[in-house]
Amino acid sequence: MYREVLLAHNEQPHHFYALSQPTHAAHGHNPLCGDEITVHLRIESDRIKEISFTGQGCAICKASASLMTLRLEGLSVTDAEKNAQGILKWLNDATAEQPDNLGELEALLGVRKFPMRIKCATLAWHAFLKALNQPAISDTNKESSASCGCCGNGSTPNGKHLNDGCGCGS
Amino acid sequence: MAEATGNGGCAKRPLDVASIRDDFPSLSHRNSNGQSIVWLDNSATTQKPRCVIDALTDFYTNYNANVHRGYYEWGQRATEAYEGTRKRLADFIHADAAEEIIFTRGATEALNALAEIIGQRYFQPNDEVIVTELEHHSNQIPWQMQQAKRGIRIKGWRLEEDGRLDPSRLEELLTPKTKLLAFSHLSNVLGLIPPVKEIIKRAHANGTLVVIDAAQALAHVAIDVKDLDCDFLVGSAHKAYGPTGAGFFYGKRALLETLPPWHGGGTMMETVEIDRFTPAEVPFRFEAGTPPIADIIGFGVAIDYLRQFDWEALSKHEEDVVQYAEERLSALSFIRLAPCPTRRTAVVSFLVDGLHPHDVASLVCDDNIALRAGFHCCQPLMKRLNYPSGLVRASFGLYNTREDVDRLVVALKRAVEIFKR
Ligand SMILES: Cc1ncc(COP(=O)(O)O)c(C=O)c1O
């Protein structure tokens, strides 16, 4: 399961920081293991101009998030969404066909054999889809969202969480 | 029914771990590299000795019948075997009478049942229930549900930094409104045994009822409910070498008599009319419907299995292995053990520097070692001791050996190497 690619991405994840001017952000949390990933997006003219993630998780979770940012950056919103859905289907369903041009993502193949760990691999992708479906961050609360790196729905303009149980840790 | 050799009173079987391991068919499994299984997830569930497995087969093959109903021989045999477990269990935990044992489908169900029936009878709005930060979710949520249902207030008994439960904190929490205190006899995360008897005494001095969660303790600690003087105590068969799907609660007879039934159905009633019923006597009042008969019979066989050994010899062996694990693990520079202010019992939890607990558990799988990683159903504890990603846990049973620990150490070193690359 721990292919070289995954170990490398875990050690030095790509796009592992908060965006300063995100247009969209969403938090993914696996309450059963404490893994949490926030995906930050800057969408311009229907394109994923910038994507990054913050949070903490196991090697599988972080490597998958890192691979995701590489795959999705620069795609149109529609393509990125389709892409993410395809990867999620592939990870969740052992009978699903392998998506085209998997590239390094193919390293996640081994995870599919461990149902306990599939959630680790899918967390960031779910957070990405959630971010897309969230209303864009308006200028007034942009700052608080960026500073706490939290879920869109948990943030208020003063940076406090509406929902204490959101567990984003900031 | 299949009987394990010996019982509480007979000459004891010597504690020969090799022969014990032979009793557990699943322990002989090997992975594709020929490595035998190292089962270090005993706190989640133990492996089963052949006599327990045989007892299930024997029941289904030779006398499968419902209990407390049949007029035929199988029905009687099934009832005798089922009630036999009640007697064994009462004897095992030193209850006054078999009727003080109520069968459930596990410790979780037992705690839910107790919360509901004690709540119904004893909880008034603004009453208080104390639970500790050590507790398994199944000893928290049922009380929280009572909070929502009956307007009681849950008070958390804060752990000290070193994981200790300090009884003087209890004194600060107890008020005239404190109806009940629930806590575990053995922590499934820290391997810690609180000063159970002292705590019970202090609670009782305040007129507070005490529920003991002995789900973990049952297979590792000698339990004497009379000596402890606890009001209620729960356990699960599957954590004590018995089948899943069977468990129990103990209650002091006088208290059980005051409690209403839980589920309605067959067996729990005496007379039924179209719009009313009268509840049955204790213990049947709390046992509605067809129980997991085979599993409860298997539970009795598991108790016999345990009791054929001298308890002290058994404890000594487990202590030795756990202590050895603690020594070997703490000698590794990359391991940080979770705190345990007392001697660790059955459980050693730890972190591996630079590795997420999940990754540790997955990596040692390759060496056919079964560990558990995560919150272990104890989120408040993890929060209190600041383990945001949980812990890795090795938990031991009577068949574990120092060799198991050695293999764990090798596997952990390998895991760390893989991440160093
Ligand atoms: C301390 C403790 N209490 C209760 C339980 C619940 O037991 P069961 O799942 O058998 O109902 C467990 C199981 O892990 C436990 O460790």
Side-chain angles (χ1 to χ4, degrees):
Chain A
M1 180 156 81
Y2 291 88
R3 306 258 296 267
E4 187 64 26
V5 174
L6 300 183
L7 293 170
H9 276 271
N10 173 55
E11 205 171 281
Q12 290 188 321
H14 295 256
H15 300 110
F16 186 50
Y17 44 74
L19 293 184
S20 54
Q21 299 277 298
T23 57
H24 295 73
H27 184 70
H29 182 208
N30 183 351
L32 290 178
C33 66
D35 286 357
E36 27 191 325
I37 293 281
T38 302
V39 172
H40 312 254
L41 304 175
R42 191 163 60 80
I43 296 177
E44 273 172 24
S45 342
D46 275 335
R47 203 158 276 281
I48 313 287
K49 278 281 183 213
E50 268 192 287
I51 174 168
S52 74
F53 76 103
T54 51
Q56 49 146 358
C58 61
I60 303 296
C61 172
K62 264 164 81 179
S64 181
S66 169
L67 287 161
M68 176 185 83
T69 60
L70 294 183
R71 186 173 179 89
L72 301 183
E73 191 161 68
L75 295 186
S76 73
V77 169
T78 324
D79 283 353
E81 188 169 19
K82 259 198 222 133
N83 229 292
Q85 282 161 349
I87 297 293
L88 281 172
K89 186 166 162 44
W90 172 66
L91 285 170
N92 278 314
D93 177 359
T95 64
E97 270 196 36
Q98 186 158 319
D100 294 335
N101 310 321
L102 263 186
E104 287 191 327
L105 271 171
E106 201 233 322
L108 289 172
L109 190 66
V111 179
R112 300 201 309 173
K113 280 188 253 147
F114 297 90
M116 282 287 296
R117 303 303 301 280
I118 289 174
K119 280 209 171 79
C120 310
T122 56
L123 185 65
W125 299 84
H126 282 299
F128 167 73
L129 289 177
K130 192 169 146 195
L132 281 190
N133 291 307
Q134 214 117 112
I137 299 166
S138 68
D139 284 333
T140 45
N141 61 17
K142 216 174 234 175
E143 194 147 302
S144 64
S145 165
S147 63
C148 84
C150 171
C151 44
N153 53 1
S155 302
T156 62
N158 62 8
K160 286 267 186 290
H161 301 284
L162 293 172
N163 172 11
D164 268 346
C166 113
C168 91
S170 50
Chain B
M1 69 188 266
E3 296 268 358
T5 48
N7 60 40
C10 299
K12 297 296 184 181
R13 174 175 158 188
L15 200 99
D16 169 6
V17 180
S19 91
I20 288 175
R21 292 182 65 85
D22 284 342
D23 293 337
F24 289 79
S26 55
L27 292 181
S28 64
H29 275 279
R30 288 174 184 275
N31 67 6
S32 51
N33 297 328
Q35 294 167 296
S36 59
I37 178 93
V38 174
W39 186 255
L40 293 177
D41 199 11
N42 292 285
S43 293
T45 198
T46 56
Q47 298 304 314
K48 318 305 173 200
R50 186 171 279 109
C51 58
V52 167
I53 301 167
D54 287 349
L56 302 181
T57 312
D58 184 38
F59 170 74
Y60 288 124
T61 312
N62 295 316
Y63 61 104
N64 173 49
N66 213 323
V67 287
H68 308 128
R69 297 190 186 27
Y71 294 94
Y72 35 81
E73 198 234 334
W74 287 0
Q76 281 170 30
R77 259 182 86 188
T79 305
E80 266 167 39
Y82 177 85
E83 291 302 323
T85 298
R86 206 188 300 275
K87 289 200 194 79
R88 282 173 172 80
L89 199 46
D91 203 35
F92 187 45
I93 64 168
H94 302 275
D96 268 332
E99 292 73 37
E100 293 183 319
I101 305 291
I102 315 301
F103 289 130
T104 64
R105 279 141 190 94
T108 301
E109 192 182 74
L111 287 164
N112 277 279
L114 282 175
E116 178 54 33
I117 61 182
I118 295 172
Q120 211 183 97
R121 172 69 177 77
Y122 290 105
F123 293 169
Q124 303 291 332
N126 301 319
D127 278 349
E128 298 160 357
V129 167
I130 299 175
V131 294
T132 84
E133 287 179 331
L134 267 185
E135 300 316 305
H136 190 276
H137 296 161
S138 64
N139 199 19
Q140 293 184 333
I141 298 170
W143 307 111
Q144 293 173 5
M145 291 164 99
Q146 289 299 310
Q147 177 170 258
K149 197 162 168 178
R150 302 188 202 282
I152 59 162
R153 199 157 70 86
I154 308 280
K155 288 165 109 179
W157 178 351
R158 195 170 169 74
L159 286 184
E160 307 309 311
E161 296 291 338
D162 60 0
R164 206 162 32 92
L165 276 178
D166 182 347
S168 69
R169 281 206 193 261
L170 175 63
E171 297 295 346
E172 292 163 21
L173 291 173
L174 289 168
T175 76
K177 288 191 166 304
T178 313
K179 283 283 163 67
L180 185 137
L181 162 67
F183 70 101
S184 53
H185 197 308
L186 168 56
S187 157
N188 64 317
V189 175
L190 303 181
L192 167 133
I193 298 179
V196 181
K197 208 171 152 178
E198 182 193 345
I199 294 171
I200 293 170
K201 231 190 214 142
R202 290 191 187 221
H204 280 172
N206 190 58
T208 298
L209 293 170
V210 180
V211 173
I212 302 289
D213 176 357
Q216 289 299 332
L218 196 64
H220 305 285
V221 187
I223 293 175
D224 184 331
V225 290
K226 281 223 292 295
D227 180 52
L228 291 176
D229 196 31
C230 57
D231 301 298
F232 302 95
L233 180 138
V234 310
S236 272
H238 74 99
K239 294 186 197 282
Y241 312 105
T244 53
F248 74 99
F249 64 82
Y250 154 85
K252 282 179 181 165
R253 173 113 202 192
L255 277 168
L256 289 175
E257 299 287 357
T258 68
L259 295 176
W262 183 41
H263 286 160
T267 310
M268 52 69 68
M269 79 306 149
E270 227 143 51
T271 59
V272 185
E273 291 173 51
I274 198 66
D275 60 352
R276 78 201 72 160
F277 73 97
T278 53
E281 294 295 313
V282 172
F284 302 114
R285 183 186 303 171
F286 310 108
E287 291 179 11
T290 299
I293 303 167
D295 304 316
I296 283 169
I297 292 171
F299 191 5
V301 174
I303 291 166
D304 282 349
Y305 181 82
L306 264 176
R307 299 197 78 193
Q308 67 183 320
F309 303 106
D310 172 50
W311 195 271
E312 260 180 47
L314 199 143
S315 303
K316 228 175 95 191
H317 164 67
E318 288 190 3
E319 240 172 71
D320 175 70
V321 177
V322 169
Q323 219 161 36
Y324 181 68
E326 190 175 332
E327 277 165 29
R328 294 262 0 230
L329 290 172
S330 47
L332 298 172
S333 60
F334 53 82
I335 296 281
R336 276 188 295 137
L337 292 181
C340 184
T342 60
R343 187 168 53 67
R344 283 187 166 81
T345 303
V347 182
V348 182
S349 290
F350 57 92
L351 286 179
V352 179
D353 285 342
L355 267 73
H356 191 286
H358 278 179
D359 295 321
V360 177
S362 283
L363 284 160
V364 302
C365 276
D366 292 344
D367 292 325
N368 213 10
I369 296 173
L371 289 181
R372 178 85 180 266
F375 295 149
H376 312 292
C377 298
C378 290
Q379 289 186 18
L381 174 63
M382 296 296 170
K383 196 166 175 190
R384 170 72 182 106
L385 297 182
N386 196 21
Y387 294 115
S389 305
L391 285 163
V392 184
R393 178 181 75 185
S395 54
F396 297 82
L398 84 174
Y399 36 62
N400 289 117
T401 60
R402 285 180 169 228
E403 287 73 51
D404 290 343
V405 175
D406 292 336
R407 275 185 55 193
L408 172 63
V409 168
V410 171
L412 289 171
K413 285 182 176 163
R414 198 184 59 85
V416 169
E417 278 307 307
I418 289 176
F419 267 62
K420 266 201 199 130
R421 303 184 306 133

